[in-house]
Amino acid sequence: MQDLIDELGRMPGVGPKSAQRITFHLLKLPREDALKLATAIIEVKDKVTFCERCFNVSEGPLCGICTDERRDTHVVCVVEEPRDIVAVEKTHEYRGSYHVLQGAISPIEGIGPEQLKVKELLGRLDPEGVTEVILCTNPNIEGEATAMYLARLLKPLGIKITRIASGLPVGGDLEYADELTLGRALEGRREVE
Amino acid sequence: MQDLIDELGRMPGVGPKSAQRITFHLLKLPREDALKLATAIIEVKDKVTFCERCFNVSEGPLCGICTDERRDTHVVCVVEEPRDIVAVEKTHEYRGSYHVLQGAISPIEGIGPEQLKVKELLGRLDPEGVTEVILCTNPNIEGEATAMYLARLLKPLGIKITRIASGLPVGGDLEYADELTLGRALEGRREVE
């Protein structure tokens, strides 16, 4: 029992108290229900791998987006993690393809471009006839450093490199915006058509 | 005493309980300290009016920004309230002048363009040689409606009309951004120089 508590406690967001609560909950469950959870964990590990092309999570060699012929492969949206693809897809604003770096540059954690899927991104540009790369990494220190690195790397190749906008959130209020964000919103102001 | 509690309770963010607490606190204070608060309230009402030109709060006919000769009067940043000027000034990104509408268009509250300082804005453009109007109203429903109204009104005059950027806050995370904001951040992406 302590083994299970320890293992559960290693999951993100699960502290020792939650781990204990889950364990007692599992003990009370009928055997088949607990088995379902165990099998689901094994299946996920057996079936889900990473897409060979974009490194999104995938149940086959290519992910659902890479096999979808309606997607525009001339635009590549570069994100840090597969969960960021979920976020962008929810906007229904994007019909291009993706590339998951599987992380961001972070000297403190010893993560450099070599640890990320950068080489693989470079290898896709020519064969897929990519005309625009959207740098959609997080607007925090690591994400900005990664975007800057990629911009410098890709710019000489003559491809259009864009960065998602920083600014005020929709529905927000000037009064509650931090100075940096409001500064970027002003700097990035766009002409009204 | 109940009068004071009632009056304090009318202030924004002060509920009946806080009003009572403040009242008892005032009762315990030495007379001169309570008098200071009372005098400060009277002085603010006597001395602070609105700037004749931009409708910011001011202690004279013109506010501190309008009398500052180092400010660029060819750019006007249009905001809803004087407190928004404080927010923009904190960014240290802006050296132009301002125009306070003193509200935003809100049909529900019966506020139309006539109730705002729109006529006064129009009157400033020519004499001050304004070349750009930055629509810096809040990115919520009322603020967007006001920005759209002003854009349509000013566009035919041949002045550059810009809107502050919507997007992800600096330091933010794609995962926690709402769909609308992430959609705008993608839509408003800018080419990396």
Side-chain angles (χ1 to χ4, degrees):
Chain A
M1 209 175 121
Q2 192 57 46
D3 279 357
L4 179 57
I5 296 175
D6 291 349
E7 290 305 324
L8 285 168
R10 282 197 194 105
M11 300 300 113
V14 183
K17 285 242 172 155
S18 304
Q20 201 174 42
R21 203 180 310 143
I22 296 170
T23 304
F24 281 112
H25 174 77
L26 285 168
L27 287 174
K28 274 199 299 185
L29 277 186
R31 193 182 145 75
E32 56 263 41
D33 285 4
L35 222 65
K36 268 186 207 157
L37 176 62
T39 336
I41 292 171
I42 295 165
E43 276 197 1
V44 132
K45 290 307 293 176
D46 283 348
K47 285 195 184 158
V48 180
T49 53
F50 292 108
C51 172
E52 289 171 3
R53 196 209 237 157
C54 77
F55 301 93
N56 185 11
V57 287
S58 171
E59 294 200 14
L62 288 179
C63 74
I65 291 167
C66 283
T67 52
D68 184 346
E69 285 176 4
R70 288 163 304 175
R71 310 281 311 204
D72 177 5
T73 56
H74 298 100
V75 187
V76 178
C77 179
V78 177
V79 295
E80 295 177 21
E81 301 289 347
R83 62 169 181 254
D84 298 331
I85 293 185
V86 179
V88 175
E89 285 297 293
K90 270 198 202 146
T91 68
H92 302 288
E93 289 271 345
Y94 184 65
R95 299 297 306 159
S97 61
Y98 291 95
H99 190 84
V100 181
L101 295 171
Q102 299 203 331
I105 293 174
S106 169
I108 296 167
E109 294 178 57
I111 300 172
E114 322 68 58
Q115 275 81 46
L116 306 174
K117 303 294 180 194
V118 171
K119 217 171 52 240
E120 291 81 353
L121 171 64
L122 282 171
R124 288 179 62 183
L125 302 178
D126 235 19
E128 294 179 30
V130 173
T131 54
E132 180 181 356
V133 172
I134 305 175
L135 301 172
C136 198
T137 52
N138 286 326
N140 54 25
I141 296 171
E142 292 82 12
E144 291 288 354
T146 311
M148 286 227 301
Y149 171 83
L150 289 176
R152 276 190 208 148
L153 189 74
L154 302 175
K155 204 73 190 166
L157 306 178
I159 297 165
K160 186 176 173 188
I161 312 294
T162 55
R163 179 85 176 105
I164 50 164
S166 279
L168 298 191
V170 176
D173 215 302
L174 259 76
E175 207 187 346
Y176 303 119
D178 63 283
E179 296 104 70
L180 266 175
T181 300
L182 185 51
R184 291 275 188 94
L186 268 169
E187 193 194 317
R189 65 184 184 270
R190 298 171 73 196
E191 196 156 350
V192 181
E193 302 303 332
Chain B
M1 210 175 118
Q2 192 57 46
D3 278 357
L4 179 56
I5 296 175
D6 291 350
E7 289 305 323
L8 285 168
R10 279 194 197 111
M11 300 301 115
V14 182
K17 284 241 170 155
S18 305
Q20 201 174 44
R21 202 179 313 140
I22 296 169
T23 303
F24 280 111
H25 174 76
L26 284 168
L27 286 175
K28 273 199 301 184
L29 277 187
R31 192 182 146 76
E32 57 263 42
D33 286 2
L35 221 65
K36 268 186 207 157
L37 176 63
T39 333
I41 292 170
I42 294 165
E43 275 197 2
V44 132
K45 289 309 291 178
D46 283 348
K47 285 194 185 160
V48 180
T49 53
F50 292 108
C51 173
E52 288 171 4
R53 194 209 238 157
C54 77
F55 301 95
N56 185 12
V57 287
S58 172
E59 295 198 15
L62 289 179
C63 74
I65 292 168
C66 283
T67 51
D68 184 346
E69 284 177 7
R70 288 161 304 176
R71 311 280 313 201
D72 176 5
T73 56
H74 298 99
V75 187
V76 177
C77 180
V78 177
V79 295
E80 295 177 20
E81 301 289 347
R83 62 169 181 255
D84 299 330
I85 293 185
V86 179
V88 175
E89 285 297 293
K90 272 197 202 147
T91 69
H92 301 291
E93 289 272 344
Y94 184 66
R95 297 299 304 160
S97 61
Y98 290 95
H99 190 85
V100 181
L101 295 171
Q102 299 203 333
I105 293 174
S106 170
I108 296 168
E109 294 177 58
I111 301 172
E114 322 67 60
Q115 276 80 45
L116 306 174
K117 303 293 180 192
V118 172
K119 217 171 50 239
E120 291 81 353
L121 172 64
L122 283 171
R124 289 179 61 185
L125 303 177
D126 236 18
E128 294 179 29
V130 173
T131 53
E132 180 180 356
V133 171
I134 305 175
L135 301 172
C136 199
T137 52
N138 286 326
N140 54 26
I141 295 171
E142 291 81 12
E144 290 289 354
T146 311
M148 286 228 300
Y149 170 82
L150 288 176
R152 274 189 210 150
L153 189 74
L154 302 175
K155 203 74 188 165
L157 307 179
I159 297 164
K160 186 175 172 189
I161 312 294
T162 55
R163 179 85 176 106
I164 50 164
S166 279
L168 298 189
V170 176
D173 214 304
L174 258 78
E175 205 186 347
Y176 303 119
D178 64 284
E179 296 105 68
L180 265 175
T181 300
L182 185 50
R184 292 275 187 94
L186 267 170
E187 193 195 316
R189 65 184 184 269
R190 298 170 73 195
E191 196 154 352
V192 181
E193 303 303 332

